[in-house]
Amino acid sequence: MKSFRIIPALLSLLLLGGCTFPSGDDLLAAPKPSTNYRTLQAELEELLASGVSYTAPAEGENRSSIQLVDLDGDGVEEAITFFRGSSAATSSNFSVYVYRKQEERYVCTGSVEGQAMAIESVDYPVITPDGRRGMVLSWRLGGDGTGALTVCDFNKDCVPSVLLETEYSAMELADMTGDGARDLLLLTTDPAGRRVARLYQYHSGALTLAGETGTSPETVSVERMQTGRVLDNHTAVFAEEKMASGVGLTTDIFVYADDLLINLALDGENAITRSTYRPVSVYAADVNGDGMTELPRAVLMAGYTDAAASDAVFMLDWYAYGVDQIPERVMTTYQNISDGWSLTIDPAWRDRITAVKSNDTGLSLVTFSEYLGGTQRVPLFIVYCATGAAREYYAGRTDLVQLGQTAQAVYFAKFAEEARNSTLAVTPEDVRKRFSLVKQDWNE
């Protein structure tokens, strides 16, 4: 559990001491803040009088202008405050002040300065196995997607010290070595203009470069970074990246093993077997619940031959990756991204089932059939998604195979008479068991 609290405004700091409840005339009196917070308020009012104004990080979990954080693990929270210049000439100047409680008052121990369009985010990662925290400030720069980063640690008196200042395009804080401390993985550009990943680790008061590796070619920007696990239980960072073509996604998989930073999407002599590109925009996910994060590869369903066709329908083969291992397929699914559902494809169906997407009087539907070759198909079942006013009507239909519902949609299936003649022998129970609502974020 995180050992820091975020408060939405300065007035939230003005807390009453104790847990007693006033009565009578006491209810008419203005609440009196504790001595600690009165001294902090006085310090902050002096700063405001100097010509600055409160600001707050724009993204992430920590978005308050005043944040309480136990930086040194002593059980007492420090106060982190965020300001920017209040005039047109100083509006790009930002200051982050650190206050430490000393007896009955808060004392400023130092500040971190920056120039930017905004403070993008702030995090307080555990940087040592014994629980000491640092601070990672992300600054919003121009419109090309590049940001700047300031990484600090704190001495025993909570005085901030800058360890790293650099530009970057994406970052993730993750415990890559399993020692309880979080490392910093940055995607950035090297002096030669190549996109690279760099891993920084904190040791003995310094942030050192622990490894560097390349990213997948022809990628131009990062959709998101997430931490997960790969085979052999290695911690991995998954970078979902847009292609220069504008079509589909590629995922780079960064692992720290044998004192090296490795990109599993490029590792090995045969990069084709490790390719993570897919023409559909679906993120990596733990699709089978085994604790590992799998990567999808898009495969045309039976009967489709042109992946670029507007009506092409894909299945997704999900692969588990590992260090020095050939990716292994663990599952195949059909994903309906727009309607938010998934259907697990039985291995016996994989090359024999096909699908067609369509709409009918406000219903979104996918018709599944057994593919017999050419234009020959045996209709099996249709999965429907009903939204709007039609939800309640279809949810109450007992003649339909009810699959699930959300606040926005009802999902159900209807079986075709011809399904009785199919050699796949798909049953309503099969569909219920294999159907699921999407539980991950989708890039639509």
Side-chain angles (χ1 to χ4, degrees):
M1 181 177 293
K2 294 183 178 179
S3 63
F4 56 91
R5 294 186 289 122
I6 303 170
I7 47 183
L10 175 61
L11 292 179
S12 299
L13 286 172
L14 308 182
L15 305 176
L16 288 169
C19 298
T20 59
F21 293 90
S23 61
D25 291 341
D26 290 338
L27 291 172
L28 303 178
K32 297 179 180 179
S34 69
T35 301
N36 293 335
Y37 292 142
R38 286 202 303 268
T39 62
L40 177 58
Q41 183 187 23
E43 293 276 354
L44 299 183
E45 286 176 348
E46 285 188 19
L47 282 174
L48 293 171
S50 71
V52 298
S53 59
Y54 287 116
T55 189
E59 303 286 342
E61 296 181 359
N62 310 324
R63 301 190 191 184
S64 176
S65 58
I66 304 171
Q67 303 177 16
L68 299 180
V69 187
D70 183 5
L71 296 171
D72 54 7
D74 65 354
V76 179
E77 294 171 318
E78 284 68 47
I80 316 296
T81 63
F82 300 83
F83 296 90
R84 75 182 302 169
S86 56
S87 70
T90 61
S91 62
S92 62
N93 297 334
F94 293 84
S95 299
V96 181
Y97 288 86
V98 180
Y99 290 87
R100 190 184 194 201
K101 185 179 177 184
Q102 293 183 4
E103 296 180 349
E104 296 301 317
R105 58 193 300 262
Y106 276 90
V107 176
C108 181
T109 62
S111 65
V112 179
E113 314 293 326
Q115 286 193 320
M117 295 177 61
I119 299 175
E120 184 75 18
S121 65
V122 64
D123 204 340
Y124 308 98
V126 171
I127 58 174
T128 64
D130 62 1
R132 284 179 51 204
R133 293 187 180 274
M135 181 168 65
V136 178
L137 282 164
S138 172
W139 309 95
R140 183 180 297 171
L141 300 182
D144 63 352
T146 299
L149 203 69
T150 301
V151 183
C152 305
D153 70 348
F154 301 89
N155 67 11
K156 61 182 180 62
D157 297 317
C158 289
V159 177
S161 176
V162 174
L163 303 174
L164 176 68
E165 291 181 301
T166 187
E167 293 188 351
Y168 76 104
S169 58
M171 73 167 179
E172 180 77 355
L173 293 161
D175 180 5
M176 302 289 283
T177 60
D179 65 356
R182 292 168 74 189
D183 308 309
L184 174 65
L185 183 73
L186 293 182
L187 267 60
T188 187
T189 303
D190 69 8
R194 296 170 299 189
R195 298 180 69 248
V196 297
R198 290 176 177 156
L199 180 67
Y200 293 89
Q201 296 177 330
Y202 182 84
H203 296 291
S204 304
L207 199 65
T208 59
L209 181 63
E212 179 176 305
T213 187
T215 64
S216 293
E218 301 181 5
T219 56
V220 293
S221 63
V222 179
E223 280 280 306
R224 76 168 185 178
M225 304 268 278
Q226 67 167 339
T227 302
R229 307 197 81 79
V230 294
L231 297 173
D232 292 337
N233 216 29
H234 282 92
T235 298
V237 173
F238 297 81
E240 313 278 13
E241 295 159 286
K242 286 185 176 180
M243 305 299 295
S245 65
V247 178
L249 289 176
T250 284
T251 304
D252 283 321
I253 312 165
F254 301 108
V255 175
Y256 189 66
D258 299 324
D259 297 326
L260 295 172
L261 181 64
I262 303 168
N263 183 354
L264 297 184
L266 303 179
D267 187 47
E269 295 182 2
N270 188 355
I272 294 177
T273 66
R274 311 188 71 83
S275 173
T276 63
Y277 170 74
R278 58 273 190 193
V280 294
S281 295
V282 179
Y283 290 141
D286 179 9
V287 291
N288 58 356
D290 64 353
M292 305 294 114
T293 300
E294 289 84 28
L295 272 294
R297 297 182 189 176
V299 180
L300 284 169
M301 295 195 82
Y304 292 94
T305 58
D306 185 1
S310 60
D311 62 345
V313 179
F314 296 89
M315 296 181 296
L316 295 177
D317 285 339
W318 293 85
Y319 283 82
Y321 284 65
V323 178
D324 296 327
Q325 299 189 51
I326 297 174
E328 58 182 64
R329 191 173 73 206
V330 300
M331 182 180 289
T332 300
T333 63
Y334 169 83
Q335 310 283 28
N336 190 308
I337 300 172
S338 57
D339 292 339
W341 59 269
S342 172
L343 187 75
T344 301
I345 302 298
D346 189 285
W349 305 352
R350 187 174 178 276
D351 298 319
R352 300 169 59 196
I353 199 168
T354 191
V356 176
K357 298 176 65 175
S358 57
N359 291 278
D360 181 24
T361 60
L363 295 175
S364 173
L365 56 134
V366 180
T367 302
F368 290 90
S369 303
E370 181 182 6
Y371 181 70
L372 302 179
T375 60
Q376 298 184 57
R377 291 169 170 80
V378 177
L380 298 174
F381 59 93
I382 305 172
V383 174
Y384 293 85
C385 173
T387 57
R391 297 196 313 272
E392 293 184 7
Y393 169 74
Y394 286 106
R397 289 274 299 270
T398 58
D399 59 324
L400 302 173
V401 181
Q402 298 294 332
L403 300 176
Q405 65 183 77
T406 67
Q408 294 77 35
V410 169
Y411 303 87
F412 59 92
K414 185 176 181 180
F415 271 71
E417 289 293 329
E418 296 91 333
R420 299 175 181 176
N421 302 321
S422 170
T423 58
L424 295 183
V426 183
T427 68
E429 185 57 32
D430 286 331
V431 175
R432 285 196 189 97
K433 181 175 63 176
R434 298 175 186 281
F435 179 91
S436 63
L437 297 177
V438 172
K439 298 181 180 179
Q440 71 167 47
D441 295 326
W442 297 94
N443 171 33
E444 297 188 29

